[in-house]
Amino acid sequence: MTDIINRPDASDGDEREARKEAVRQGIELLFFAYRDFTAEPDAILAEYGFGRAHHRVVHFVGRHPHMTVGELLGILRITKQSLNRVLGQLVRQGFIMQQRGAQDRRQRLLLLTERGRELEERLSAPQRARVGAAYKKAGAAAVEGFRKVLLGIIADEDDRRRFAPPRPPRR
Amino acid sequence: MTDIINRPDASDGDEREARKEAVRQGIELLFFAYRDFTAEPDAILAEYGFGRAHHRVVHFVGRHPHMTVGELLGILRITKQSLNRVLGQLVRQGFIMQQRGAQDRRQRLLLLTERGRELEERLSAPQRARVGAAYKKAGAAAVEGFRKVLLGIIADEDDRRRFAPPRPPRR
DNA sequence: CCGGATAAGTCAATATGACTGACATAATTA
DNA sequence: TAATTATGTCAGTCATATTGACTTATCCGG
């Protein structure tokens, strides 16, 4: 269960050190990848006078239409005061619409407008290109590993549940 | 006339859609993983009145002792004014030492003090635990895939070069 | 050896994204 | 009806980042 690698001639100390170094490299890889992964959308956002927070809102509302403000707060893990400035700008400038909830009329269900979809498309394009190219280059097996490790890093069980296998076997 | 319904082997259109969805999931996975990956150190940093920027500096100086200020700026991709506030605090509070460069005396080579090493250890412990557990759970093949994909996401060739294979064949 | 380039540091002003705390409103639910 | 919940808002603060201008010390090429 613990055998990461089968090495007959390494001592436990070396083994542990090598593993520790591998983990530290993983940490650093995450930093670099995230840094570059956000750089291109950030440049586009600047045109609109928006920041990374706006991207996150547009992304999640795009992927989960009719989500509530509370759900969005739970995903982003920020306060409603922080969200409100960003969300308010997006609503006032016509990127996001709010609909009264049908069952619970206190809820404001969030939706992208046409303009919002265009923005989402522009912002995600460089990220999709970057990640898509990395996927293609690394191959399907590597992508499976990438997903597995990232899922292991995510703390919250509910958040992990968002990620069903990419192609669930139908029937 | 693309028949959506009854198809054992997917058409190109479906194939493309599935791939696009897989890439979008990857983007989201990166967001969630990075969010959780930074949450625990952030709480520790708050005890010191520090922020994430201090963590990054302590991390890179710890991993690359005697690095110059310019190298650090290149890695972090921030302005020297931004770095200076953070670095200055760390130096003044005894977490980082600066040594004059031997060849080039304009350089201030950066080093962790004992206190700095302790801080680095505290900050990295939860990250190492989280990433280490994810590695262990996912297995060696998955880790290889994780590394491959993240390397593909990193834009800069010089940055990619930092990541030699975790166990280079000695001899 | 002089002058330009480079490494580092600094001052000032500004923007963004986050926080805490307090409070308001409307709607749901017990 | 009363408590709770979903959302929104006002006010103040902090950390991180920016641009732009400038200084000091040092290096290096002509």
Coordinates of all heavy atoms in Angstrom, one line a residue, chain B residues 68-70 80-81 84 98 106, chain C residues 5-12:
Chain B
T68 N 19.3 35.7 -5.8 CA 19.3 37.1 -5.8 C 17.9 37.7 -5.8 O 16.9 37.0 -6.1 CB 20.0 37.7 -7.1 OG1 19.2 37.4 -8.2 CG2 21.4 37.1 -7.2
V69 N 17.8 39.0 -5.5 CA 16.5 39.6 -5.5 C 15.9 39.6 -6.9 O 14.7 39.4 -7.1 CB 16.6 41.1 -5.0 CG1 15.4 41.9 -5.1 CG2 17.1 41.1 -3.5
G70 N 16.8 39.8 -7.9 CA 16.3 39.8 -9.2 C 15.7 38.5 -9.7 O 14.7 38.4 -10.4
K80 N 9.4 45.1 -8.1 CA 10.3 45.2 -7.0 C 9.7 46.0 -5.8 O 10.0 45.7 -4.7 CB 11.7 45.7 -7.4 CG 11.8 47.1 -7.5 CD 13.2 47.5 -8.0 CE 13.0 48.8 -8.8 NZ 14.3 49.4 -9.2
Q81 N 8.8 46.9 -6.2 CA 8.2 47.7 -5.1 C 7.3 46.8 -4.3 O 7.2 46.9 -3.0 CB 7.3 48.8 -5.7 CG 8.1 49.9 -6.4 CD 8.3 49.6 -7.8 OE1 8.4 48.5 -8.3 NE2 8.3 50.7 -8.6
N84 N 9.4 44.5 -2.3 CA 10.2 45.1 -1.2 C 9.6 45.3 0.1 O 10.2 45.1 1.1 CB 10.7 46.5 -1.7 CG 12.2 46.7 -1.3 OD1 12.4 47.4 -0.4 ND2 13.1 46.0 -2.0
Q98 N 20.5 38.8 4.3 CA 21.0 39.2 3.0 C 22.5 39.2 3.0 O 23.1 39.7 4.0 CB 20.5 40.5 2.6 CG 19.0 40.5 2.3 CD 18.5 41.9 2.1 OE1 18.7 42.8 2.9 NE2 17.8 42.1 1.0
R106 N 26.9 44.1 -6.0 CA 25.6 44.8 -6.0 C 24.5 43.9 -5.5 O 23.4 44.3 -5.0 CB 25.2 45.3 -7.4 CG 26.1 46.4 -7.9 CD 25.8 46.7 -9.4 NE 26.0 45.5 -10.2 CZ 25.8 45.4 -11.5 NH1 25.4 46.5 -12.1 NH2 26.0 44.3 -12.2
Chain C
dA5 P 22.9 52.8 -21.7 OP1 22.6 52.2 -23.0 OP2 22.1 53.8 -21.0 O5' 23.1 51.5 -20.7 C5' 24.0 50.4 -21.1 C4' 24.1 49.4 -20.0 O4' 24.7 50.0 -18.9 C3' 22.7 48.9 -19.5 O3' 22.8 47.5 -19.4 C2' 22.5 49.6 -18.2 C1' 24.0 49.8 -17.7 N9 24.3 50.9 -16.8 C8 23.9 52.2 -17.0 N7 24.3 53.0 -16.0 C5 25.0 52.1 -15.1 C6 25.7 52.3 -13.9 N6 25.8 53.5 -13.3 N1 26.2 51.2 -13.3 C2 26.1 50.0 -13.9 N3 25.5 49.7 -15.1 C4 25.0 50.8 -15.6
dT6 P 21.5 46.6 -19.1 OP1 21.6 45.4 -19.9 OP2 20.3 47.5 -19.2 O5' 21.7 46.2 -17.6 C5' 23.0 45.6 -17.2 C4' 23.0 45.5 -15.7 O4' 23.3 46.8 -15.2 C3' 21.7 45.0 -15.1 O3' 22.1 43.9 -14.3 C2' 21.3 46.2 -14.2 C1' 22.6 46.9 -14.0 N1 22.5 48.4 -13.7 C2 23.1 48.9 -12.6 O2 23.8 48.2 -11.8 N3 23.1 50.2 -12.4 C4 22.4 51.1 -13.2 O4 22.4 52.3 -12.9 C5 21.7 50.6 -14.3 C7 21.0 51.5 -15.2 C6 21.8 49.2 -14.5
dA7 P 21.1 43.1 -13.5 OP1 21.5 41.6 -13.5 OP2 19.7 43.5 -13.9 O5' 21.3 43.6 -12.0 C5' 22.4 43.2 -11.2 C4' 22.2 43.6 -9.8 O4' 22.2 45.0 -9.7 C3' 20.8 43.1 -9.3 O3' 21.0 42.5 -8.0 C2' 20.0 44.4 -9.2 C1' 21.1 45.5 -9.0 N9 20.7 46.8 -9.6 C8 20.2 47.0 -10.9 N7 20.0 48.2 -11.2 C5 20.5 48.9 -10.1 C6 20.7 50.3 -9.8 N6 20.3 51.3 -10.6 N1 21.2 50.6 -8.6 C2 21.6 49.6 -7.8 N3 21.6 48.3 -7.9 C4 21.0 48.0 -9.1
dA8 P 19.7 42.0 -7.2 OP1 20.3 40.9 -6.3 OP2 18.6 41.6 -8.1 O5' 19.3 43.2 -6.4 C5' 20.3 43.8 -5.5 C4' 19.8 45.1 -4.9 O4' 19.7 46.0 -5.9 C3' 18.5 45.0 -4.2 O3' 18.7 45.1 -2.8 C2' 17.7 46.2 -4.7 C1' 18.8 47.0 -5.4 N9 18.3 47.8 -6.6 C8 17.7 47.3 -7.7 N7 17.4 48.2 -8.6 C5 17.8 49.4 -8.0 C6 17.7 50.8 -8.3 N6 17.2 51.2 -9.5 N1 18.2 51.7 -7.5 C2 18.7 51.3 -6.3 N3 18.8 50.0 -5.8 C4 18.3 49.1 -6.7
dG9 P 17.5 45.1 -1.8 OP1 18.1 44.7 -0.5 OP2 16.4 44.3 -2.4 O5' 17.1 46.6 -1.7 C5' 18.0 47.5 -1.2 C4' 17.5 48.9 -1.2 O4' 17.3 49.3 -2.6 C3' 16.1 49.1 -0.5 O3' 16.2 50.1 0.4 C2' 15.2 49.5 -1.7 C1' 16.1 50.1 -2.7 N9 15.7 50.1 -4.0 C8 15.3 49.0 -4.8 N7 14.9 49.3 -6.0 C5 15.0 50.7 -6.0 C6 14.7 51.6 -7.1 O6 14.3 51.4 -8.2 N1 14.9 53.0 -6.6 C2 15.3 53.3 -5.4 N2 15.4 54.6 -5.2 N3 15.6 52.5 -4.4 C4 15.4 51.2 -4.8
dT10 P 15.1 50.4 1.5 OP1 15.7 50.8 2.7 OP2 14.1 49.3 1.4 O5' 14.4 51.7 0.9 C5' 15.2 52.8 0.5 C4' 14.3 53.9 -0.1 O4' 14.1 53.5 -1.5 C3' 12.9 54.0 0.5 O3' 12.8 55.3 1.0 C2' 11.9 53.7 -0.6 C1' 12.8 53.9 -1.9 N1 12.4 53.2 -3.1 C2 12.1 53.9 -4.2 O2 12.1 55.1 -4.3 N3 11.7 53.2 -5.3 C4 11.6 51.8 -5.4 O4 11.3 51.3 -6.4 C5 11.9 51.1 -4.2 C7 11.9 49.6 -4.1 C6 12.3 51.8 -3.1
dC11 P 11.6 55.7 2.0 OP1 12.2 56.5 3.0 OP2 10.8 54.5 2.3 O5' 10.7 56.7 1.1 C5' 11.3 57.8 0.4 C4' 10.3 58.4 -0.5 O4' 10.2 57.7 -1.7 C3' 8.9 58.5 0.1 O3' 8.3 59.8 0.0 C2' 8.1 57.5 -0.7 C1' 8.8 57.5 -2.0 N1 8.7 56.2 -2.8 C2 8.5 56.2 -4.1 O2 8.3 57.2 -4.7 N3 8.4 55.0 -4.8 C4 8.6 53.8 -4.1 N4 8.5 52.7 -4.8 C5 8.9 53.8 -2.7 C6 8.9 55.0 -2.1
dA12 P 7.0 60.2 0.8 OP1 7.1 61.6 1.2 OP2 6.6 59.1 1.8 O5' 5.9 60.1 -0.4 C5' 6.3 60.7 -1.7 C4' 5.2 60.3 -2.7 O4' 5.5 59.1 -3.3 C3' 3.8 60.2 -2.1 O3' 2.9 61.0 -2.8 C2' 3.5 58.7 -2.2 C1' 4.2 58.4 -3.5 N9 4.6 57.0 -3.6 C8 5.0 56.1 -2.7 N7 5.2 54.9 -3.1 C5 4.8 54.9 -4.4 C6 4.8 54.0 -5.5 N6 5.1 52.7 -5.3 N1 4.4 54.4 -6.7 C2 4.0 55.7 -6.9 N3 4.0 56.7 -6.0 C4 4.4 56.2 -4.8

